[in-house]
Amino acid sequence: MIRVALVDDQALMRAGFRALLDAEDGIEVVGEAPDGRQGVELVRTTMPDVALIDVQMPVMTGIEATREIAADPALAAVHVVILTNYGLDEYVFEALRAGAAGFLLKDTEPDELLRAIEVAARGDALLSPSITRRLIGEFVARPPDRATAPGLEALTRRESEVTALAARGLSNEEIAAHMVISPFTVKTHISRAMTKLGARDRAQLVVFAYESGLVVAQGNQL
């Protein structure tokens, strides 16, 4: 059973998501909150597998709520998925920096929402290759911020190579084919890299790869 918390200031939006999720076997909505502050408290009291959190809310924004959840070791198993009306904007970019596992447009198709919740709950590849490539676009005009990036020197050569390929938008299967190794080995390298860098998920691993300069975004790579 995947346990989901809904955090959105629009009651109609919450009702729509709840109706969709309650109709699914294997998914349970554990609660709703109308703002970021109440959302953080909801997450702390219910410990959901996935928290769907709107970007723009009163009292505390979705980014602030995500940052607070990600900073709490007791909530390490909670995967935040950001909801937005605007696509990959600066709000979403900052949310990924804050620790969000990924993001969804509010007008996403129901099947895509359900699949994203399942993926997020597994802690698996939380950003699709297409979304990762869009993230790369955000980094093209941004120089590496090595002052704030984690130390990549802790990674082995293989871990660095896998991380770089993931940051370029390749799926585990594509990385495996490129490196001539198994997808399981790729997943192991990614998991170890995440642990060493303190990344909550694949999304943060991609952000770290660019901020550290491990991967330098080039316009012709998009």
Side-chain angles (χ1 to χ4, degrees), residues 160-181:
S160 293
E161 186 176 356
V162 167
T163 298
L165 291 172
R168 294 192 188 283
L170 274 66
S171 67
N172 286 0
E173 290 72 22
E174 290 170 334
I175 295 172
H178 180 84
M179 297 181 66
V180 196
I181 57 179

Side-chain angles (χ1 to χ4, degrees), residues 111 127 199:
D111 287 348
L127 287 180

Side-chain angles (χ1 to χ4, degrees), residues 9-216:
D9 62 327
Q10 298 180 35
L12 187 60
M13 187 63 65
R14 297 197 308 272
F17 280 126
R18 178 181 276 277
L20 173 64
L21 299 180
D22 280 345
E24 289 295 313
D25 293 334
I27 296 180
E28 175 190 5
V29 177
V30 298
E32 303 176 21
D35 62 60
R37 170 51 60 199
Q38 293 185 54
V40 172
E41 294 307 314
L42 173 65
V43 167
R44 286 191 172 126
T45 55
T46 62
M47 295 295 293
D49 301 298
V50 178
L52 297 179
I53 300 181
D54 187 23
V55 169
Q56 293 178 305
M57 293 182 293
V59 183
M60 175 185 281
T61 68
I63 295 173
E64 293 167 334
T66 297
R67 188 174 292 114
E68 192 162 325
I69 291 169
D72 189 342
L75 303 178
V78 178
H79 301 288
V80 174
V81 176
I82 291 293
L83 299 171
T84 176
N85 289 317
Y86 310 109
L88 189 61
D89 58 13
E90 187 66 21
Y91 291 112
V92 174
F93 181 79
E94 289 303 320
L96 292 174
R97 284 173 176 260
F103 75 93
L104 287 173
L105 292 174
K106 286 188 175 183
D107 62 356
T108 190
E109 293 295 323
D111 287 348
E112 185 178 349
L113 171 65
L114 297 173
R115 186 189 65 81
I117 289 174
E118 292 172 357
V119 170
R122 291 199 307 266
D124 227 346
L126 303 177
L127 287 180
S128 70
S130 63
I131 296 303
T132 302
R133 292 186 180 106
R134 291 174 68 188
L135 264 181
I136 291 172
E138 288 292 316
F139 281 104
V140 169
R142 298 169 185 263
D145 186 4
R146 293 180 175 84
T148 60
L152 291 172
E153 64 276 0
L155 301 185
T156 66
R157 181 180 61 81
R158 279 295 207 185
E159 290 164 357
S160 293
E161 186 176 356
V162 167
T163 298
L165 291 172
R168 294 192 188 283
L170 274 66
S171 67
N172 286 0
E173 290 72 22
E174 290 170 334
I175 295 172
H178 180 84
M179 297 181 66
V180 196
I181 57 179
S182 72
F184 177 80
T185 300
V186 172
K187 187 173 182 179
T188 298
H189 284 318
I190 287 178
S191 295
R192 288 175 177 168
M194 286 168 51
T195 298
K196 290 179 179 180
L197 297 176
R200 286 172 59 91
D201 47 54
R202 192 185 188 96
Q204 277 206 314
L205 190 66
V206 170
V207 172
F208 289 163
Y210 282 94
E211 290 189 330
S212 66
L214 175 66
V215 176
V216 178

